């Protein structure tokens, strides 16, 4: 079963040096964060504001360190070496000051086009423990892995719900660690893809005025294992951002995919609508 969508690496953004050099305490300072997000948007002549400032903020909140790479902020060393060390009942996103700051910044800037970049549950966990160990755990400790992922799903759903209620209309969900081409059909269907499916089901009820963009590799993987089906819908905007804003006004569209959210033009006049369509959860 093949995957039809190929990632072209369209994300060319780099954090400007003046922002990169700021202290990480900005992540808990809503006034300062709002200012730099607006300044970054203006410097790049973008219409949209993209938050948070850290790739995989969820993983950082659950225990990973935030580090500064050459052009961006992300998570660093893994805080856990074995699944047994992880206590999912202790996981909470909503009590963290950095998450509260994202919500408050969203309220301040909600009149602008906002995009929340969120991570799929498996990739959040992969910020906490070496993904190679997680790949092995798919085969050897699936029950333990499932328990941890279920808790992450619930926490992530509450986070996304709160950001939507604060005024964000576009959620970009990525799975850089465990799409079907990386873990295989069986493991995607039963583990990493299933966790994403559960997350989407949890948040779907809150999406009447918002839309979730699934990265092309993730949406292609879900289609390939029959977790979702694809439909085409006509749109009128010249840019992909305009198309996403347009579909937020259609309460029947909750998920879109099969494209990269960083693309600029959309010359086809169509958008790929995703419908959750789980037919089979376990391989026989």
């Amino acid at each position: 079963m093949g995957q039809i969508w190929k990632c072209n690496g369209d994300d060319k953004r780099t954090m400007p040096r003046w922002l990169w050099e700021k202290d990480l305490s900005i992540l808990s300072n809503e006034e300062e964060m709002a200012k730099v997000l607006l300044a970054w948007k203006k410097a790049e002549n973008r219409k949209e504001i993209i938050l948070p400032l850290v790739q995989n903020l969820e993983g950082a909140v659950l225990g990973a360190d935030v580090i500064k790479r050459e052009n961006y902020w992300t998570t660093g060393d893994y805080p856990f070496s074995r699944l047994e060390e992880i206590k999912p009942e202790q996981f909470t996103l909503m009590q963290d000051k950095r998450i509260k700051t994202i919500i408050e910044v969203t309220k301040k800037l909600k009149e602008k086009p906002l995009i929340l970049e969120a991570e799929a549950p498996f990739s959040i966990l992969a910020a906490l423990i070496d993904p190679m160990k997680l790949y092995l755990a798919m085969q050897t400790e699936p029950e333990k892995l499932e328990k941890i992922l279920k808790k992450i799903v619930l926490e992530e759903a509450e986070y996304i719900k709160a950001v939507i209620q604060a005024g964000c209309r576009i959620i970009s969900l990525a799975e850089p660690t465990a799409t079907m081409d990386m873990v295989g059909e069986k493991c995607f269907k039963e583990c990493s893809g299933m966790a994403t499916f559960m997350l989407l089901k949890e948040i779907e009820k809150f999406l009447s005025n918002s839309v979730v963009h699934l990265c092309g590799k993730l949406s292609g993987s879900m289609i390939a294992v029959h977790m979702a089906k694809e439909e085409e819908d006509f749109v009128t905007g010249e840019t992909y951002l305009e198309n996403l804003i347009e579909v937020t006004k259609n309460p029947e569209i909750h998920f879109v995919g099969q494209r990269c959210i960083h693309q600029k033009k959309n010359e086809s006049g169509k958008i790929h609508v995703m419908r959750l369509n789980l037919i089979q959860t376990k391989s026989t």
Side-chain angles (χ1 to χ4, degrees):
M1 187 178 294
Q3 186 169 309
I4 59 173
W5 196 91
K6 300 298 181 184
C7 179
N8 296 318
D10 289 335
D11 186 3
K12 303 297 193 301
R13 293 170 303 145
T14 60
M15 181 177 280
R17 197 69 186 180
W18 58 265
L19 174 52
W20 187 91
E21 291 176 345
K22 285 187 175 293
D23 190 87
L24 292 175
S25 63
I26 191 178
L27 298 174
S28 300
N29 185 327
E30 60 190 67
E31 295 291 341
E32 183 69 10
M33 187 187 294
K35 289 178 182 178
V36 300
L37 286 170
L38 287 169
W40 191 2
K41 168 184 172 291
K42 182 177 181 180
E44 293 190 345
N45 195 29
R46 284 188 279 107
K47 293 184 178 180
E48 74 278 13
I49 292 173
I50 301 172
L51 62 158
L53 294 173
V54 177
Q55 293 181 3
N56 204 340
L57 177 64
E58 303 96 319
V61 169
L62 295 182
D65 291 332
V66 176
I67 62 170
K68 296 184 177 184
R69 300 288 190 196
E70 183 178 357
N71 294 309
Y72 58 97
W73 297 350
T74 187
T75 54
D77 294 336
Y78 307 117
F80 302 105
S81 58
R82 296 180 298 117
L83 280 185
E84 290 76 9
E85 299 172 354
I86 299 177
K87 309 299 181 186
E89 65 274 10
Q90 298 177 2
F91 282 173
T92 177
L93 290 177
M94 299 304 295
Q95 299 305 312
D96 190 90
K97 176 61 175 174
R98 291 165 292 184
I99 294 294
K100 293 178 179 179
T101 298
I102 291 296
I103 295 167
E104 292 306 312
V105 168
T106 299
K107 292 177 182 178
K108 289 179 181 294
L109 303 179
K110 64 183 180 180
E111 300 306 318
K112 311 286 184 182
L114 295 176
I115 298 176
L116 176 75
E117 293 189 331
E119 296 286 322
F122 193 94
S123 282
I124 294 174
L125 183 55
L128 306 181
I129 187 170
D130 187 340
M132 296 306 295
K133 295 180 180 180
L134 294 179
Y135 300 150
L136 178 61
M138 287 181 173
Q139 306 291 340
T140 60
E141 301 178 280
E143 293 84 8
K144 288 181 181 178
L145 189 55
E146 180 180 8
K147 180 180 178 181
I148 296 170
L149 287 171
K150 281 184 176 179
K151 176 59 172 173
I152 292 175
V153 164
L154 294 177
E155 292 296 318
E156 179 80 343
E158 286 299 310
Y159 170 43
I160 292 174
K161 171 187 172 183
V163 176
I164 289 172
Q165 291 179 338
C168 184
R169 296 289 168 253
I170 302 172
I171 311 298
S172 176
L173 187 67
E175 173 53 279
T177 308
T179 48
M180 195 183 75
D181 58 325
M182 302 175 75
V183 301
E185 179 183 340
K186 181 177 185 295
C187 288
F188 180 81
K189 182 187 295 185
E190 297 183 3
C191 184
S192 59
M194 179 53 61
T196 296
F197 182 89
M198 291 168 56
L199 172 64
L200 297 180
K201 289 296 289 184
E202 283 288 327
I203 65 175
E204 187 170 20
K205 63 180 79 75
F206 307 114
L207 297 175
S208 59
N209 295 301
S210 301
V211 67
V212 176
H213 167 90
L214 305 173
C215 77
K217 289 183 69 174
L218 176 57
S219 59
S221 296
M222 294 185 72
I223 291 169
V225 300
H226 307 295
M227 286 184 172
K229 59 183 179 179
E230 174 190 7
E231 302 171 0
E232 288 187 341
D233 196 42
F234 290 100
V235 284
T236 61
E238 294 184 1
T239 69
Y240 195 57
L241 176 64
E242 290 171 349
N243 297 157
L244 290 175
I245 293 172
E246 182 177 334
V247 298
T248 64
K249 300 172 184 177
N250 184 340
E252 300 301 316
I253 297 178
H254 300 153
F255 310 107
V256 299
Q258 295 296 78
R259 292 184 182 272
C260 178
I261 199 167
H262 303 296
Q263 73 180 73
K264 299 301 180 184
K265 295 293 184 180
N266 182 19
E267 298 175 352
S268 69
K270 298 178 182 178
I271 202 163
H272 296 261
V273 179
M274 309 295 296
R275 308 286 186 191
L276 299 184
N277 182 48
L278 188 60
I279 294 176
Q280 182 180 0
T281 63
K282 297 288 184 181
S283 297
T284 56

